Amino acid sequence: MANNKHRTSLKDLAKELGVSIATVSRALRSSPEIGAEMQQKVKALAKALNYRPNPFAQSLRKEAPRVIGVVVPNLVTHYYAAVLDGIEDEARREGYSVISANTHEDSEVEVRAIDNFINLHVEGIVACLAQSTTDYKHFEEIADMGIPLVFFGRTCLQEKFSSVMANGDVAAQEATQHLIDTGSKRIAFIGGPNHLDMVRRRKHGYLEALRENKIPIERELVVCEKIDYDWAYEATLKLLDEQKPDAILAFNDIITFAAFSAIKDKGLSIPDEVALIGFTDDVHASYVTPRMSAIEDQSREMGREACKLLLKSINGDTKIYKKIVPQKLVIRDTSAKVKK
């Protein structure tokens, strides 16, 4: 039987009965789409497990406010905060309120956040995958229930959901080409987990630049494992000790500044001994010394576009959209070596 140490959810009832969450939801509403026998089974189990619809959600439905949920992996980073700002700007303009959930890059927290949003009866969800998410069942259930959802940044199930992404492959290729053109010869790539589509796109652009310039691809210079400051710092130190790259392309802001600190702590000059370009935002890139050459997201624009697509879906548009928000390479002081 379902564990009663937590509030019994629609998902618990569905799992116990071996049916979809949509079937349970409709049965509890006495929908004519569900047979009398199944309705009786669902309602009996709900009573036995003390299932109670969220009273907050009930009051929301009575007052008919318009609420959307947003799931982000790490709300303390500037990127996700700026995306959320963009979502809130667009939502507010259209009369919606926003509830956000921070998964802390944990897939189990992500599953619970989605479940909570279902129980709150939000009208739609904007989400970015946690780095540990490799099982997409909770999103497949969202599709089965017909709840509008749009992914941004890191995506999955692209045949089922609209998405907003950056052109990370193009941007990474341009950044790597810039490093090559300005004197770097052995360029490393430090990234997150390979199963994330965002990591694959950015790594692909880096590799394409090497191929186009007929530079041999050295597997030892490509390190992709985790989006974590401590891990990235140690990975950079190991690269500098063992492989001695003269440039690094870093996957995101966390990895970028971990690499920056590791290079500095090794006593190496940036960019002459080790050049560095990272995917990060303009605020932090401008505040460090030397100022960071960076691939900058239009993160607020990404949030606005994701919210626009979600509202389209809420309003009945069933088309699957794939929106690209371009990034821009901003050259500052960490990437071009002094010509000798």
Side-chain angles (χ1 to χ4, degrees):
M1 297 291 284
N3 183 356
N4 281 315
K5 290 182 180 178
H6 70 281
R7 184 188 295 272
T8 302
S9 68
L10 290 174
K11 188 175 182 179
D12 295 327
L13 299 177
K15 184 176 181 181
E16 190 71 34
L17 291 166
V19 297
S20 71
I21 294 175
T23 296
V24 171
S25 178
R26 289 170 185 145
L28 290 173
R29 297 198 309 268
S30 301
S31 169
E33 298 174 64
I34 306 301
E37 184 179 351
M38 178 56 70
Q39 286 191 34
Q40 187 176 358
K41 282 184 180 179
V42 170
K43 290 174 182 177
L45 182 63
K47 184 176 181 180
L49 296 183
N50 196 28
Y51 168 74
R52 297 179 183 179
N54 190 299
F56 174 61
Q58 286 184 318
S59 69
L60 288 183
R61 288 197 300 277
K62 286 178 185 176
E63 296 170 16
R66 307 164 84 184
V67 180
I68 62 175
V70 180
V71 181
V72 297
N74 189 347
L75 194 50
V76 299
T77 66
H78 183 273
Y79 170 76
Y80 291 112
V83 171
L84 183 59
D85 274 351
I87 294 170
E88 289 177 338
D89 285 346
E90 191 64 31
R92 192 180 305 114
R93 230 186 327 266
E94 298 298 323
Y96 281 80
S97 297
V98 174
I99 304 172
S100 62
N102 186 356
T103 67
H104 304 281
E105 297 284 11
D106 186 325
S107 59
E108 292 184 7
V109 177
E110 179 182 277
V111 170
R112 290 198 296 272
I114 292 295
D115 198 36
N116 287 338
F117 283 155
I118 291 171
N119 288 335
L120 285 171
H121 297 266
V122 297
E123 291 195 35
I125 299 169
V126 178
C128 180
L129 293 176
Q131 66 172 305
S132 62
T133 299
T134 55
D135 184 340
Y136 309 128
K137 286 179 183 175
H138 50 305
F139 292 115
E140 289 171 345
E141 288 173 352
I142 289 286
D144 290 342
M145 293 178 71
I147 297 173
L149 182 144
V150 172
F151 283 109
F152 74 91
R154 310 174 194 167
T155 74
C156 67
L157 304 175
Q158 290 195 16
E159 73 285 357
K160 295 179 182 289
F161 299 108
S162 294
S163 59
V164 180
M165 297 177 291
N167 60 339
D169 52 345
V170 174
Q173 187 168 351
E174 288 177 355
T176 307
Q177 186 65 51
H178 165 73
L179 289 169
I180 294 167
D181 291 343
T182 54
S184 295
K185 302 185 186 312
R186 298 189 71 238
I187 304 167
F189 178 82
I190 305 178
N194 280 307
H195 67 265
L196 291 177
D197 59 337
M198 182 188 282
V199 174
R200 293 197 301 270
R201 288 194 299 273
R202 294 178 181 184
K203 182 169 67 173
H204 174 76
Y206 154 80
L207 294 172
E208 280 298 294
L210 298 185
R211 292 187 188 101
E212 285 197 0
N213 289 274
K214 296 182 170 51
I215 296 174
I217 294 170
E218 301 178 64
R219 290 187 179 181
E220 295 79 10
L221 293 178
V222 183
V223 183
C224 294
E225 185 177 325
K226 191 187 298 186
I227 303 170
D228 175 80
Y229 184 93
D230 293 337
W231 170 82
Y233 179 85
E234 294 299 329
T236 304
L237 289 179
K238 186 176 180 182
L239 268 175
L240 295 172
D241 284 338
E242 298 179 3
Q243 304 303 327
K244 296 180 169 49
D246 64 353
I248 293 171
L249 178 64
F251 166 73
N252 74 345
D253 48 0
I254 292 172
I255 292 175
T256 296
F257 288 102
F260 183 86
S261 295
I263 297 167
K264 286 261 192 176
D265 289 350
K266 287 287 289 183
L268 300 170
S269 68
I270 304 174
D272 291 336
E273 290 181 281
V274 184
L276 177 64
I277 297 180
F279 284 80
T280 186
D281 60 88
D282 58 339
V283 175
H284 295 99
S286 300
Y287 289 171
V288 295
T289 304
R291 297 178 311 146
M292 185 80 66
S293 293
I295 302 162
E296 295 179 359
D297 280 294
Q298 297 186 67
S299 41
R300 282 183 178 80
E301 180 64 20
M302 183 168 284
R304 284 191 287 267
E305 291 297 330
C307 190
K308 286 179 183 176
L309 291 185
L310 183 68
L311 295 177
K312 277 178 178 281
S313 183
I314 288 171
N315 291 325
D317 189 342
T318 58
K319 183 178 176 181
I320 304 299
Y321 293 90
K322 290 178 174 56
K323 175 75 177 179
I324 301 295
V325 177
Q327 296 170 303
K328 58 180 179 177
L329 175 61
V330 179
I331 304 304
R332 295 189 180 92
D333 305 327
T334 62
S335 55
K337 297 182 183 299
V338 176
K339 291 184 179 180
K340 299 178 181 177

